[in-house]
Amino acid sequence: MATNFNPEHSEGPVAKAIEQQTAKLPSDLFLWAALGSMATSATLKILKKDKTALFVGQWAAPFLLLGLYNKLVKLEGSD
C-alpha cells in the first residue's frame, strides 16, 4: 500500500462513494469505451460528419484516464 504523504487528509464522503461504485466496474470497460469512440469517430469521418467525428474522437483520452484512475483506486485504495 502507498504511503500517505499527508496523514491528516482523508477523502470526503462524495469521493469515497464515487470510488466505491466505480471500483465495481471492470477496468477494461474504459479501454473498450475508448476504442469504441475511436471507431465511431472514424465512421463519422467517413460519413463526412467532420465536426461530430472530432467531438466523439476526443472522448478516447478521457476514457483512458478514467480507466487509469479506476485501476489506481483498485490497487491503492482511496485513502
Side-chain angles (χ1 to χ4, degrees):
M1 187 159 215
T3 303
N4 188 349
F5 293 109
N6 188 0
E8 297 174 7
H9 173 77
S10 65
E11 295 292 342
V14 174
K16 284 183 182 179
I18 291 170
E19 289 169 357
Q20 286 173 351
Q21 294 304 312
T22 58
K24 296 175 184 176
L25 296 172
S27 297
D28 62 343
L29 174 75
F30 297 100
L31 177 61
W32 287 111
L35 291 172
S37 72
M38 288 186 273
T40 302
S41 176
T43 302
L44 289 166
K45 186 74 171 169
I46 291 167
L47 296 174
K48 307 287 188 213
K49 297 180 186 262
D50 293 341
K51 290 183 179 181
T52 306
L54 181 60
F55 176 69
V56 172
Q58 291 178 352
W59 297 351
F63 282 138
L64 293 173
L65 287 170
L66 287 168
L68 179 61
Y69 177 78
N70 184 40
K71 191 67 151 180
L72 285 171
V73 167
K74 285 180 179 180
L75 293 174
E76 301 295 331
S78 62
D79 266 339

